Amino acid sequence: YLAPPELTAMQPFVWSIAILTIMANTLLICALLSNKWLCRQRQNKFMLSLAMADLSVGFIMPFNVYREQTEFLFEGMSARQMFCKCITSLEVALIYASIYHLLALSLDRLYLIT
């Protein structure tokens, strides 16, 4: 059984976004950790935490595409339902973590200028 064409066409795009997200956040983490002066600043600790949260989102993105593509293959099976629930829950938790890190970073920058 083949997946619908719109999901098949979307897969390379999601994989490229996931790889770009992983590479960019890995570079940011390496840059922040390689310099001790950058590690000691409070703002950069927020950036490091945000990069780790976004790196986790980048790792979970391809699994979401896999979940959507195999939706028609495993209808009614408990293993597929468990996989779907785990991936969806993990994805929501990681995206919320990323959003809350952005909020904390914005509040920190606001307190810095006031």
Side-chain angles (χ1 to χ4, degrees), residues 12-108:
F13 176 72
V14 172
W15 272 97
S16 61
I17 294 295
I19 290 171
L20 182 67
T21 302
I22 291 168
M23 286 175 40
N25 285 304
T26 302
L27 285 174
L28 180 62
I29 290 169
C30 289
L32 289 174
L33 292 178
S34 66
N35 191 341
K36 287 186 179 185
W37 182 75
L38 289 176
C39 277
R40 281 186 261 151
Q41 294 180 341
R42 184 181 69 211
Q43 298 88 3
N44 290 336
K45 289 180 183 177
F46 280 120
M47 291 297 291
L48 182 65
S49 182
L50 176 64
M52 288 184 181
D54 287 343
L55 184 66
S56 301
V57 171
F59 280 125
I60 203 70
M61 267 194 259
F63 290 108
N64 193 23
V65 172
Y66 176 75
R67 179 185 59 86
E68 288 177 6
Q69 282 190 332
T70 59
E71 180 179 358
F72 306 106
L73 292 177
F74 301 111
E75 286 184 16
M77 296 184 92
S78 63
R80 193 242 176 251
Q81 290 173 350
M82 184 62 135
F83 177 73
C84 180
K85 288 179 184 179
C86 289
I87 291 299
T88 303
S89 300
L90 188 61
E91 184 180 25
V92 168
L94 291 174
I95 289 173
Y96 276 137
S98 182
I99 290 170
Y100 286 134
H101 279 92
L102 280 173
L103 178 69
L105 183 65
S106 299
L107 289 175
D108 183 59

